[in-house]
Amino acid sequence: METELNRRGARPALVALDWGTSSLRAFLMDAAGAVVAERASSQGLRHLPQPGHAGFTQALSAIAGDWLRDGPRLPLVACGMVGSAQGWREAPYVGCPADVTTLAAHAARVDDALGRPLWIAPGLLYAPGNEPPDVMRGEEIQIAGALARQPQWARRACLVLPGTHSKWAWVEDGRVTTFRTAMTGEVYAVLRQHSLLGQLMSEGESEPAVAAAAFNQGVERARASRPGDLTHELFAVRTLGLTGRLPGPALADYLSGLLIGHEIVSALAQPGMAAPDEMPLLLVGEAALSRRYAQALAAFGRAPAAELGNTAPQGLWRFAGAAGLIGAAA
Amino acid sequence: METELNRRGARPALVALDWGTSSLRAFLMDAAGAVVAERASSQGLRHLPQPGHAGFTQALSAIAGDWLRDGPRLPLVACGMVGSAQGWREAPYVGCPADVTTLAAHAARVDDALGRPLWIAPGLLYAPGNEPPDVMRGEEIQIAGALARQPQWARRACLVLPGTHSKWAWVEDGRVTTFRTAMTGEVYAVLRQHSLLGQLMSEGESEPAVAAAAFNQGVERARASRPGDLTHELFAVRTLGLTGRLPGPALADYLSGLLIGHEIVSALAQPGMAAPDEMPLLLVGEAALSRRYAQALAAFGRAPAAELGNTAPQGLWRFAGAAGLIGAAA
């Protein structure tokens, strides 16, 4: 699927891949960091045409073979699970604090990816004292892209990346100093698809106003919650349906508000979050989900300073620049 | 499956059914409330031989047809999802406070269950002010059985019924005054079977000492948690595995400790729970799970006053008595 074709005349300077578990996106970029063309495929790590090196090569050829043939000296970079232990080549996690220069210094190299090296960005590890460690892989590049696009926030900000495993990352002087994961999206999905809670969620969508009210009701319930309350509060998704207090389709919105609300309650209690003026929040990611988070954050009086969309291409371009690859293409 | 055959000579006075979604248990009881024989089948509501009245009749005949033929005047009672809207006959929820007399007064009646009426106990509803309501169906009978067996606790106690949907019920002067559900067991099951967290949980069991240590580590993490922390803490199940800090099989124990710990943190913050001497805790249910809860409660300094096992037969017998059915059989 070719989704974007702007600046077709621009001279390509980089092929950049965002290669995750369930999808692969490829970006053709020019020397100024603009996206010339963009493609997406479902050939993530779980759906490669065959296992191992040959499978990765085949998937790469299918999505960007023509770009790479037309530009035999074009550099090639990637981020995401392609650098995990189950990926093409492992790029072990690097510790915080870290910025894009740190990522470039610890990149892993696939020697022959359609006749050229492929540089893969490592993930980040945050392992404070006795607490369980936290990890990210892919989001570190989105963060680099967000800071490239909005350098005014690089001195001090909290970046929120909603998703299957939402990340909250704290940045100081351009480097990620700490971060934490909340499994919001995955918990939502498994409860909806595999638990009793999904049973009463009739198909179809609510009226927008009904959906928004149910979502807000879930957020408010989370806002008032005390330690340990979540597994109790989840049961309300069932009882509000059973007793007819919420219509079937709105139960999914309530569940979403409850889980996103819990994620926000927990994150806003982190050090440095008490003073909104000193810690702007930046939302990074897909538009529809970002809007939900913006709505929930507003209920906490913490409207985000910006919503940035997908910043992976800009992050990959910065990563390639830090690795000294952009000049090499000219 | 006939699992128990004691006091074969005793004169039967009641056939009692615990009929849930996934299983059906039948008890033949004497006039003193003792179990003469016990059987179990998988013909819960989800696995009836056919839909509707005929399916229920067939399942009843398969598990207790001979008992009912031999005792044509034996009364027949049931509890559980058989009384839900998807059951044989709906016994609508009754509000708190409620005791076994309340249940008997609101029983639903199937007119012809193998030639006699079947009386089904209703579930309980707790709907405080503006909060979402809570419901139970089946546990109200276990509670009645527990209080029958241990009447010294009927004046004031908190009954803990661990399970797919754990219930904490507060009893005063023999009546259930309030209760709350935590979806601990179901959240554990769906995360283990359907989320990324299950991937690193290798098959097999840990050494008992390793399993207990991992379970306690999860409980301790829950004990230190703040509002909203659960979806963040869940991710540790992955990272503790990824970084080799816990072996694969122990990750399931850690997850169990984390979720049970959260349930306990939340429940111990309820009104009246601050003074252990005035609020004894009684564990009701299956032995292995009760032991896990007892171990976790001990970490909170709240060892249970008693562990009672399955009290459904005694509860059904009390329900039949309150409905005036026990004398009728003699």
Short mmCIF file of all heavy atoms in Angstrom, two decimals, chain A residues 127-192:
data_model
loop_
_atom_site.label_atom_id
_atom_site.label_comp_id
_atom_site.label_asym_id
_atom_site.label_seq_id
_atom_site.Cartn_x
_atom_site.Cartn_y
_atom_site.Cartn_z
N ALA A 127 16.33 0.82 34.46
CA ALA A 127 16.41 -0.18 35.53
C ALA A 127 16.80 0.48 36.84
O ALA A 127 17.96 0.48 37.24
CB ALA A 127 17.41 -1.26 35.17
N PRO A 128 15.81 1.08 37.51
CA PRO A 128 16.10 1.83 38.73
C PRO A 128 16.18 0.92 39.95
O PRO A 128 15.24 0.17 40.23
CB PRO A 128 14.90 2.76 38.85
CG PRO A 128 13.79 1.98 38.21
CD PRO A 128 14.38 1.05 37.20
N GLY A 129 17.27 0.99 40.67
CA GLY A 129 17.43 0.30 41.96
C GLY A 129 16.81 -1.08 42.01
O GLY A 129 17.11 -1.94 41.19
N ASN A 130 15.93 -1.27 42.98
CA ASN A 130 15.34 -2.59 43.20
C ASN A 130 14.06 -2.83 42.42
O ASN A 130 13.51 -3.92 42.46
CB ASN A 130 15.04 -2.79 44.69
CG ASN A 130 16.31 -3.09 45.46
OD1 ASN A 130 17.21 -3.74 44.92
ND2 ASN A 130 16.38 -2.61 46.69
N GLU A 131 13.58 -1.81 41.74
CA GLU A 131 12.32 -1.99 41.01
C GLU A 131 12.51 -2.84 39.77
O GLU A 131 13.61 -2.93 39.22
CB GLU A 131 11.77 -0.62 40.61
CG GLU A 131 11.11 0.08 41.77
CD GLU A 131 10.21 1.21 41.29
OE1 GLU A 131 9.68 1.10 40.18
OE2 GLU A 131 10.07 2.17 42.03
N PRO A 132 11.45 -3.50 39.32
CA PRO A 132 11.57 -4.23 38.05
C PRO A 132 11.97 -3.26 36.95
O PRO A 132 11.57 -2.10 36.96
CB PRO A 132 10.15 -4.77 37.81
CG PRO A 132 9.50 -4.77 39.15
CD PRO A 132 10.10 -3.62 39.90
N PRO A 133 12.78 -3.72 36.00
CA PRO A 133 13.21 -2.85 34.91
C PRO A 133 12.06 -2.54 33.95
O PRO A 133 11.03 -3.20 33.99
CB PRO A 133 14.29 -3.67 34.21
CG PRO A 133 13.97 -5.09 34.54
CD PRO A 133 13.31 -5.08 35.89
N ASP A 134 12.25 -1.52 33.12
CA ASP A 134 11.27 -1.22 32.08
C ASP A 134 12.03 -1.14 30.76
O ASP A 134 13.22 -0.85 30.73
CB ASP A 134 10.55 0.10 32.39
CG ASP A 134 9.11 0.09 31.88
OD1 ASP A 134 8.87 -0.50 30.80
OD2 ASP A 134 8.25 0.68 32.54
N VAL A 135 11.34 -1.45 29.67
CA VAL A 135 11.97 -1.44 28.35
C VAL A 135 11.06 -0.80 27.31
O VAL A 135 9.84 -0.79 27.47
CB VAL A 135 12.33 -2.87 27.87
CG1 VAL A 135 13.39 -3.51 28.77
CG2 VAL A 135 11.09 -3.76 27.82
N MET A 136 11.69 -0.26 26.26
CA MET A 136 10.93 0.17 25.07
C MET A 136 11.76 -0.19 23.85
O MET A 136 12.98 -0.32 23.91
CB MET A 136 10.64 1.67 25.11
CG MET A 136 11.84 2.59 25.07
SD MET A 136 11.42 4.34 24.70
CE MET A 136 10.45 4.84 26.10
N ARG A 137 11.08 -0.37 22.72
CA ARG A 137 11.77 -0.66 21.46
C ARG A 137 10.91 -0.11 20.33
O ARG A 137 9.83 -0.63 20.07
CB ARG A 137 11.99 -2.17 21.31
CG ARG A 137 13.02 -2.51 20.23
CD ARG A 137 13.24 -4.00 20.09
NE ARG A 137 14.16 -4.61 21.04
CZ ARG A 137 15.49 -4.48 21.02
NH1 ARG A 137 16.07 -3.74 20.10
NH2 ARG A 137 16.24 -5.08 21.94
N GLY A 138 11.37 0.95 19.73
CA GLY A 138 10.62 1.62 18.68
C GLY A 138 10.22 3.02 19.13
O GLY A 138 10.38 4.00 18.40
N GLU A 139 9.74 3.13 20.39
CA GLU A 139 9.29 4.43 20.88
C GLU A 139 10.46 5.41 21.04
O GLU A 139 10.27 6.63 20.93
CB GLU A 139 8.55 4.28 22.22
CG GLU A 139 7.23 3.55 22.12
CD GLU A 139 7.38 2.04 22.30
OE1 GLU A 139 8.52 1.54 22.36
OE2 GLU A 139 6.34 1.36 22.37
N GLU A 140 11.66 4.89 21.30
CA GLU A 140 12.83 5.79 21.45
C GLU A 140 13.06 6.59 20.17
O GLU A 140 13.51 7.73 20.21
CB GLU A 140 14.09 4.99 21.87
CG GLU A 140 14.65 4.05 20.82
CD GLU A 140 13.74 2.87 20.53
OE1 GLU A 140 13.00 2.47 21.44
OE2 GLU A 140 13.74 2.37 19.39
N ILE A 141 12.72 5.97 19.03
CA ILE A 141 12.86 6.66 17.74
C ILE A 141 11.74 7.68 17.55
O ILE A 141 11.96 8.79 17.05
CB ILE A 141 12.89 5.61 16.60
CG1 ILE A 141 14.25 4.90 16.58
CG2 ILE A 141 12.59 6.24 15.25
CD1 ILE A 141 15.42 5.78 16.18
N GLN A 142 10.53 7.32 17.99
CA GLN A 142 9.42 8.29 17.93
C GLN A 142 9.74 9.51 18.78
O GLN A 142 9.41 10.65 18.42
CB GLN A 142 8.12 7.64 18.44
CG GLN A 142 7.64 6.50 17.57
CD GLN A 142 6.14 6.64 17.30
OE1 GLN A 142 5.65 7.72 16.98
NE2 GLN A 142 5.43 5.54 17.44
N ILE A 143 10.36 9.26 19.94
CA ILE A 143 10.72 10.37 20.83
C ILE A 143 11.77 11.27 20.15
O ILE A 143 11.65 12.50 20.16
CB ILE A 143 11.25 9.82 22.18
CG1 ILE A 143 10.11 9.12 22.92
CG2 ILE A 143 11.86 10.93 23.02
CD1 ILE A 143 10.55 8.26 24.09
N ALA A 144 12.77 10.65 19.54
CA ALA A 144 13.79 11.43 18.83
C ALA A 144 13.13 12.27 17.73
O ALA A 144 13.50 13.44 17.53
CB ALA A 144 14.84 10.50 18.23
N GLY A 145 12.15 11.68 17.05
CA GLY A 145 11.45 12.42 16.00
C GLY A 145 10.64 13.57 16.56
O GLY A 145 10.59 14.67 15.98
N ALA A 146 9.98 13.34 17.70
CA ALA A 146 9.18 14.41 18.31
C ALA A 146 10.07 15.58 18.72
O ALA A 146 9.72 16.74 18.50
CB ALA A 146 8.43 13.85 19.53
N LEU A 147 11.22 15.29 19.29
CA LEU A 147 12.12 16.36 19.74
C LEU A 147 12.75 17.07 18.54
O LEU A 147 13.05 18.26 18.61
CB LEU A 147 13.19 15.81 20.67
CG LEU A 147 12.64 15.16 21.96
CD1 LEU A 147 13.78 14.66 22.83
CD2 LEU A 147 11.75 16.12 22.74
N ALA A 148 12.95 16.34 17.43
CA ALA A 148 13.46 16.98 16.22
C ALA A 148 12.44 17.95 15.68
O ALA A 148 12.77 19.05 15.21
CB ALA A 148 13.78 15.91 15.17
N ARG A 149 11.16 17.55 15.76
CA ARG A 149 10.12 18.38 15.20
C ARG A 149 9.78 19.56 16.10
O ARG A 149 9.37 20.61 15.64
CB ARG A 149 8.87 17.51 15.00
CG ARG A 149 8.11 17.83 13.73
CD ARG A 149 6.73 17.25 13.77
NE ARG A 149 6.65 15.98 13.10
CZ ARG A 149 5.55 15.21 13.13
NH1 ARG A 149 4.50 15.59 13.83
NH2 ARG A 149 5.53 14.07 12.51
N GLN A 150 9.93 19.37 17.41
CA GLN A 150 9.55 20.40 18.38
C GLN A 150 10.71 20.61 19.36
O GLN A 150 10.59 20.32 20.55
CB GLN A 150 8.31 19.95 19.16
CG GLN A 150 7.12 19.56 18.30
CD GLN A 150 6.19 20.72 18.05
OE1 GLN A 150 6.06 21.61 18.89
NE2 GLN A 150 5.54 20.74 16.90
N PRO A 151 11.83 21.15 18.86
CA PRO A 151 13.02 21.24 19.72
C PRO A 151 12.82 22.10 20.96
O PRO A 151 13.56 21.96 21.93
CB PRO A 151 14.09 21.83 18.79
CG PRO A 151 13.37 22.34 17.59
CD PRO A 151 12.07 21.63 17.50
N GLN A 152 11.80 22.96 20.94
CA GLN A 152 11.57 23.80 22.13
C GLN A 152 11.21 23.00 23.36
O GLN A 152 11.30 23.48 24.48
CB GLN A 152 10.50 24.88 21.86
CG GLN A 152 9.06 24.38 21.80
CD GLN A 152 8.65 23.89 20.41
OE1 GLN A 152 9.48 23.41 19.63
NE2 GLN A 152 7.38 24.00 20.10
N TRP A 153 10.76 21.72 23.19
CA TRP A 153 10.38 20.91 24.33
C TRP A 153 11.53 20.01 24.81
O TRP A 153 11.39 19.28 25.77
CB TRP A 153 9.20 19.99 24.00
CG TRP A 153 8.00 20.69 23.43
CD1 TRP A 153 7.51 20.55 22.18
CD2 TRP A 153 7.16 21.63 24.09
NE1 TRP A 153 6.41 21.34 22.00
CE2 TRP A 153 6.16 22.03 23.18
CE3 TRP A 153 7.15 22.21 25.37
CZ2 TRP A 153 5.17 22.94 23.47
CZ3 TRP A 153 6.16 23.13 25.68
CH2 TRP A 153 5.19 23.49 24.75
N ALA A 154 12.66 20.05 24.10
CA ALA A 154 13.73 19.10 24.41
C ALA A 154 14.35 19.34 25.79
O ALA A 154 14.88 18.42 26.41
CB ALA A 154 14.81 19.14 23.33
N ARG A 155 14.26 20.58 26.28
CA ARG A 155 14.91 20.85 27.57
C ARG A 155 14.25 20.09 28.71
O ARG A 155 14.93 19.53 29.58
CB ARG A 155 14.88 22.36 27.88
CG ARG A 155 15.92 22.77 28.91
CD ARG A 155 15.70 24.17 29.44
NE ARG A 155 14.44 24.35 30.14
CZ ARG A 155 14.17 23.87 31.37
NH1 ARG A 155 15.09 23.19 32.02
NH2 ARG A 155 12.99 24.07 31.93
N ARG A 156 12.92 20.01 28.65
CA ARG A 156 12.21 19.34 29.74
C ARG A 156 10.77 19.10 29.31
O ARG A 156 10.03 20.04 29.03
CB ARG A 156 12.23 20.22 30.99
CG ARG A 156 11.71 19.55 32.25
CD ARG A 156 11.91 20.52 33.42
NE ARG A 156 11.16 20.13 34.58
CZ ARG A 156 11.58 19.25 35.48
NH1 ARG A 156 12.76 18.68 35.32
NH2 ARG A 156 10.83 18.92 36.51
N ALA A 157 10.38 17.83 29.22
CA ALA A 157 9.01 17.51 28.84
C ALA A 157 8.71 16.05 29.21
O ALA A 157 9.62 15.27 29.50
CB ALA A 157 8.80 17.71 27.35
N CYS A 158 7.42 15.75 29.21
CA CYS A 158 6.98 14.37 29.37
C CYS A 158 6.26 13.97 28.09
O CYS A 158 5.27 14.59 27.72
CB CYS A 158 6.07 14.24 30.58
SG CYS A 158 5.34 12.60 30.75
N LEU A 159 6.77 12.95 27.41
CA LEU A 159 6.16 12.49 26.17
C LEU A 159 5.27 11.28 26.46
O LEU A 159 5.70 10.33 27.13
CB LEU A 159 7.23 12.12 25.15
CG LEU A 159 7.89 13.34 24.46
CD1 LEU A 159 8.90 13.98 25.36
CD2 LEU A 159 8.50 12.93 23.13
N VAL A 160 4.04 11.34 25.97
CA VAL A 160 3.07 10.26 26.19
C VAL A 160 2.83 9.58 24.85
O VAL A 160 2.39 10.23 23.90
CB VAL A 160 1.76 10.81 26.76
CG1 VAL A 160 0.80 9.67 27.09
CG2 VAL A 160 2.02 11.69 27.98
N LEU A 161 3.13 8.27 24.79
CA LEU A 161 2.95 7.51 23.54
C LEU A 161 1.93 6.42 23.78
O LEU A 161 2.27 5.31 24.20
CB LEU A 161 4.30 6.91 23.10
CG LEU A 161 5.41 7.94 22.80
CD1 LEU A 161 6.29 8.16 24.02
CD2 LEU A 161 6.25 7.50 21.61
N PRO A 162 0.64 6.72 23.54
CA PRO A 162 -0.42 5.74 23.82
C PRO A 162 -0.31 4.54 22.87
O PRO A 162 0.17 4.68 21.75
CB PRO A 162 -1.71 6.50 23.52
CG PRO A 162 -1.32 7.94 23.36
CD PRO A 162 0.10 7.94 22.95
N GLY A 163 -0.77 3.39 23.35
CA GLY A 163 -0.75 2.22 22.47
C GLY A 163 -0.97 0.93 23.22
O GLY A 163 -1.42 0.94 24.37
N THR A 164 -0.65 -0.18 22.56
CA THR A 164 -0.76 -1.50 23.18
C THR A 164 -0.03 -1.49 24.53
O THR A 164 -0.58 -1.91 25.55
CB THR A 164 -0.13 -2.55 22.26
OG1 THR A 164 -0.76 -2.45 20.99
CG2 THR A 164 -0.32 -3.94 22.81
N HIS A 165 1.21 -1.02 24.48
CA HIS A 165 1.98 -0.79 25.70
C HIS A 165 2.33 0.69 25.71
O HIS A 165 3.32 1.11 25.10
CB HIS A 165 3.26 -1.64 25.72
CG HIS A 165 2.99 -3.12 25.72
ND1 HIS A 165 3.95 -4.05 25.49
CD2 HIS A 165 1.85 -3.82 25.95
CE1 HIS A 165 3.41 -5.27 25.55
NE2 HIS A 165 2.14 -5.16 25.84
N SER A 166 1.50 1.48 26.39
CA SER A 166 1.73 2.94 26.42
C SER A 166 3.03 3.25 27.14
O SER A 166 3.38 2.61 28.12
CB SER A 166 0.60 3.63 27.17
OG SER A 166 -0.61 3.52 26.46
N LYS A 167 3.73 4.27 26.63
CA LYS A 167 4.97 4.71 27.28
C LYS A 167 4.83 6.15 27.71
O LYS A 167 4.29 6.98 26.96
CB LYS A 167 6.15 4.62 26.30
CG LYS A 167 6.33 3.28 25.60
CD LYS A 167 6.86 2.18 26.51
CE LYS A 167 7.00 0.87 25.77
NZ LYS A 167 7.38 -0.25 26.64
N TRP A 168 5.29 6.45 28.90
CA TRP A 168 5.47 7.83 29.36
C TRP A 168 6.97 8.01 29.54
O TRP A 168 7.59 7.29 30.32
CB TRP A 168 4.74 8.06 30.69
CG TRP A 168 3.24 8.03 30.57
CD1 TRP A 168 2.46 6.99 30.15
CD2 TRP A 168 2.34 9.09 30.88
NE1 TRP A 168 1.14 7.33 30.16
CE2 TRP A 168 1.02 8.61 30.62
CE3 TRP A 168 2.50 10.40 31.36
CZ2 TRP A 168 -0.11 9.41 30.82
CZ3 TRP A 168 1.36 11.18 31.58
CH2 TRP A 168 0.07 10.69 31.30
N ALA A 169 7.54 8.97 28.80
CA ALA A 169 8.99 9.15 28.84
C ALA A 169 9.30 10.58 29.25
O ALA A 169 8.71 11.53 28.74
CB ALA A 169 9.59 8.86 27.46
N TRP A 170 10.23 10.72 30.18
CA TRP A 170 10.64 12.03 30.66
C TRP A 170 11.96 12.41 30.01
O TRP A 170 12.91 11.61 30.01
CB TRP A 170 10.74 12.05 32.18
CG TRP A 170 9.38 12.08 32.81
CD1 TRP A 170 8.70 13.18 33.21
CD2 TRP A 170 8.51 10.95 33.07
NE1 TRP A 170 7.45 12.82 33.71
CE2 TRP A 170 7.31 11.47 33.64
CE3 TRP A 170 8.61 9.57 32.90
CZ2 TRP A 170 6.24 10.66 34.03
CZ3 TRP A 170 7.53 8.75 33.27
CH2 TRP A 170 6.37 9.31 33.83
N VAL A 171 11.96 13.63 29.43
CA VAL A 171 13.12 14.09 28.68
C VAL A 171 13.72 15.30 29.39
O VAL A 171 12.98 16.17 29.87
CB VAL A 171 12.69 14.47 27.24
CG1 VAL A 171 13.77 15.28 26.55
CG2 VAL A 171 12.35 13.22 26.45
N GLU A 172 15.04 15.31 29.48
CA GLU A 172 15.73 16.47 30.04
C GLU A 172 16.95 16.74 29.18
O GLU A 172 17.73 15.81 28.90
CB GLU A 172 16.18 16.15 31.48
CG GLU A 172 15.81 17.26 32.46
CD GLU A 172 16.20 16.86 33.87
OE1 GLU A 172 15.52 15.96 34.43
OE2 GLU A 172 17.19 17.41 34.39
N ASP A 173 17.11 17.99 28.74
CA ASP A 173 18.24 18.37 27.89
C ASP A 173 18.42 17.39 26.73
O ASP A 173 19.53 16.93 26.45
CB ASP A 173 19.52 18.45 28.74
CG ASP A 173 19.40 19.54 29.80
OD1 ASP A 173 18.74 20.56 29.52
OD2 ASP A 173 19.93 19.35 30.92
N GLY A 174 17.31 17.05 26.11
CA GLY A 174 17.35 16.25 24.89
C GLY A 174 17.51 14.75 25.09
O GLY A 174 17.51 13.99 24.12
N ARG A 175 17.66 14.32 26.35
CA ARG A 175 17.87 12.89 26.60
C ARG A 175 16.71 12.30 27.39
O ARG A 175 16.16 12.94 28.29
CB ARG A 175 19.18 12.68 27.38
CG ARG A 175 20.39 13.26 26.64
CD ARG A 175 21.70 12.84 27.27
NE ARG A 175 21.77 13.22 28.68
CZ ARG A 175 22.73 12.81 29.50
NH1 ARG A 175 23.67 12.00 29.06
NH2 ARG A 175 22.74 13.20 30.76
N VAL A 176 16.36 11.06 27.09
CA VAL A 176 15.36 10.34 27.88
C VAL A 176 16.02 9.94 29.19
O VAL A 176 17.01 9.21 29.21
CB VAL A 176 14.86 9.08 27.14
CG1 VAL A 176 13.90 8.29 28.03
CG2 VAL A 176 14.20 9.45 25.82
N THR A 177 15.47 10.44 30.31
CA THR A 177 16.08 10.13 31.61
C THR A 177 15.38 8.95 32.30
O THR A 177 16.03 8.12 32.92
CB THR A 177 16.04 11.35 32.53
OG1 THR A 177 14.68 11.83 32.59
CG2 THR A 177 16.94 12.47 31.99
N THR A 178 14.04 8.92 32.23
CA THR A 178 13.29 7.80 32.80
C THR A 178 12.08 7.56 31.90
O THR A 178 11.67 8.43 31.15
CB THR A 178 12.76 8.09 34.23
OG1 THR A 178 11.70 9.03 34.13
CG2 THR A 178 13.84 8.66 35.12
N PHE A 179 11.50 6.36 32.03
CA PHE A 179 10.23 6.10 31.35
C PHE A 179 9.53 4.95 32.04
O PHE A 179 10.13 4.22 32.84
CB PHE A 179 10.45 5.80 29.86
CG PHE A 179 11.21 4.54 29.58
CD1 PHE A 179 10.55 3.33 29.43
CD2 PHE A 179 12.59 4.56 29.45
CE1 PHE A 179 11.25 2.16 29.18
CE2 PHE A 179 13.30 3.40 29.20
CZ PHE A 179 12.64 2.20 29.05
N ARG A 180 8.24 4.81 31.76
CA ARG A 180 7.47 3.70 32.31
C ARG A 180 6.39 3.28 31.34
O ARG A 180 5.85 4.07 30.58
CB ARG A 180 6.90 4.04 33.69
CG ARG A 180 5.85 5.09 33.70
CD ARG A 180 5.75 5.80 35.04
NE ARG A 180 5.58 4.96 36.19
CZ ARG A 180 4.41 4.62 36.73
NH1 ARG A 180 3.28 5.03 36.17
NH2 ARG A 180 4.34 3.88 37.82
N THR A 181 6.07 2.00 31.39
CA THR A 181 5.09 1.39 30.49
C THR A 181 3.80 1.13 31.25
O THR A 181 3.83 0.75 32.41
CB THR A 181 5.65 0.04 29.98
OG1 THR A 181 6.89 0.29 29.33
CG2 THR A 181 4.68 -0.64 29.03
N ALA A 182 2.65 1.29 30.57
CA ALA A 182 1.37 0.81 31.09
C ALA A 182 0.74 -0.04 29.98
O ALA A 182 0.69 0.38 28.83
CB ALA A 182 0.46 1.98 31.44
N MET A 183 0.29 -1.24 30.35
CA MET A 183 -0.21 -2.18 29.34
C MET A 183 -1.66 -1.89 28.95
O MET A 183 -2.45 -2.82 28.72
CB MET A 183 -0.08 -3.61 29.86
CG MET A 183 1.37 -4.04 30.04
SD MET A 183 1.51 -5.79 30.48
CE MET A 183 0.79 -6.58 29.05
N THR A 184 -2.01 -0.63 28.91
CA THR A 184 -3.40 -0.23 28.73
C THR A 184 -4.07 -0.85 27.50
O THR A 184 -5.14 -1.44 27.60
CB THR A 184 -3.45 1.31 28.64
OG1 THR A 184 -2.69 1.82 29.73
CG2 THR A 184 -4.86 1.82 28.72
N GLY A 185 -3.44 -0.68 26.35
CA GLY A 185 -4.06 -1.16 25.11
C GLY A 185 -4.22 -2.67 25.09
O GLY A 185 -5.26 -3.19 24.66
N GLU A 186 -3.22 -3.38 25.58
CA GLU A 186 -3.31 -4.84 25.55
C GLU A 186 -4.35 -5.34 26.56
O GLU A 186 -5.12 -6.26 26.25
CB GLU A 186 -1.95 -5.48 25.83
CG GLU A 186 -2.03 -6.99 25.70
CD GLU A 186 -0.68 -7.68 25.56
OE1 GLU A 186 0.35 -7.05 25.84
OE2 GLU A 186 -0.68 -8.86 25.17
N VAL A 187 -4.39 -4.75 27.74
CA VAL A 187 -5.39 -5.16 28.73
C VAL A 187 -6.80 -4.88 28.18
O VAL A 187 -7.71 -5.73 28.29
CB VAL A 187 -5.17 -4.45 30.09
CG1 VAL A 187 -6.34 -4.68 31.03
CG2 VAL A 187 -3.87 -4.95 30.72
N TYR A 188 -6.97 -3.74 27.55
CA TYR A 188 -8.27 -3.42 26.92
C TYR A 188 -8.64 -4.50 25.90
O TYR A 188 -9.76 -5.03 25.90
CB TYR A 188 -8.19 -2.05 26.25
CG TYR A 188 -9.43 -1.67 25.48
CD1 TYR A 188 -10.54 -1.13 26.12
CD2 TYR A 188 -9.49 -1.85 24.10
CE1 TYR A 188 -11.67 -0.78 25.41
CE2 TYR A 188 -10.63 -1.51 23.38
CZ TYR A 188 -11.72 -0.98 24.04
OH TYR A 188 -12.84 -0.65 23.33
N ALA A 189 -7.70 -4.83 25.03
CA ALA A 189 -7.98 -5.78 23.95
C ALA A 189 -8.31 -7.18 24.49
O ALA A 189 -9.28 -7.80 24.06
CB ALA A 189 -6.80 -5.85 22.98
N VAL A 190 -7.52 -7.68 25.44
CA VAL A 190 -7.79 -9.06 25.90
C VAL A 190 -9.08 -9.11 26.73
O VAL A 190 -9.81 -10.10 26.65
CB VAL A 190 -6.61 -9.69 26.69
CG1 VAL A 190 -5.37 -9.81 25.81
CG2 VAL A 190 -6.31 -8.97 27.97
N LEU A 191 -9.37 -8.06 27.49
CA LEU A 191 -10.62 -8.07 28.25
C LEU A 191 -11.81 -8.00 27.31
O LEU A 191 -12.82 -8.67 27.50
CB LEU A 191 -10.67 -6.90 29.24
CG LEU A 191 -9.74 -7.03 30.44
CD1 LEU A 191 -9.81 -5.76 31.28
CD2 LEU A 191 -10.11 -8.24 31.29
N ARG A 192 -11.68 -7.20 26.27
CA ARG A 192 -12.79 -7.04 25.34
C ARG A 192 -13.02 -8.32 24.53
O ARG A 192 -14.15 -8.74 24.32
CB ARG A 192 -12.48 -5.87 24.40
CG ARG A 192 -13.61 -5.61 23.50
CD ARG A 192 -13.60 -4.27 22.83
NE ARG A 192 -14.82 -4.22 22.05
CZ ARG A 192 -15.23 -3.20 21.34
NH1 ARG A 192 -14.51 -2.12 21.31
NH2 ARG A 192 -16.34 -3.26 20.66
#
